[in-house]
Amino acid sequence: MNVNVQPHPLGCVLEIKAQPGARKTELRGLQAGSLKVCVTEVAEKGKANKAIVNFLRKTWKLRGSQLEILSGETSSQKKLLIRNVSPEALVELLIASGVTES
């Protein structure tokens, strides 16, 4: 699986491509190594960012404190810190949630 994930002292960092205002909230696979995450929330006042974090937390069965957007809060390209999860474990989570390369 060709995903842009880097080790981090607290866990790992995943590159994501956000698509706010989508018809449904879902994972849309990998695009150029980034995980595409679609959410129905609009990109205003951080609503889409909160929706992304909540959706991924529920999908991967993580605690809310384990996910944090490190950069790209106002951009569609974001870097997401996932605490206490190794890059290898993250790849397993992606596979388990049905993520494929598009």
Side-chain angles (χ1 to χ4, degrees):
M1 181 175 283
N2 187 20
V3 60
N4 291 336
V5 60
Q6 294 90 34
H8 186 279
L10 299 175
C12 63
V13 176
L14 173 67
E15 290 184 21
I16 61 173
K17 168 96 170 89
Q19 182 182 334
R23 287 188 193 162
K24 68 181 195 174
T25 298
E26 64 181 345
L27 296 176
R28 268 248 184 106
L30 297 175
Q31 292 185 344
S34 295
L35 177 65
K36 186 162 186 183
V37 183
C38 301
V39 292
T40 56
E41 293 288 341
V42 294
E44 64 179 34
K45 299 180 183 171
K47 289 179 186 175
N49 288 340
K50 284 183 186 173
I52 289 167
V53 168
N54 286 334
F55 172 64
L56 292 176
R57 178 182 55 80
K58 288 176 186 171
T59 300
W60 295 335
K61 297 175 177 57
L62 300 173
R63 294 186 309 278
S65 61
Q66 285 183 268
L67 298 174
E68 176 187 344
I69 294 176
L70 289 181
S71 65
E73 289 204 0
T74 59
S75 168
S76 64
Q77 292 296 126
K78 303 178 185 302
K79 290 196 184 225
L80 182 73
L81 171 63
I82 302 132
R83 289 183 177 84
N84 304 319
V85 174
S86 69
E88 298 79 20
L90 178 62
V91 169
E92 292 300 318
L93 285 173
L94 291 170
I95 292 168
S97 53
V99 172
T100 59
E101 296 189 52
S102 17

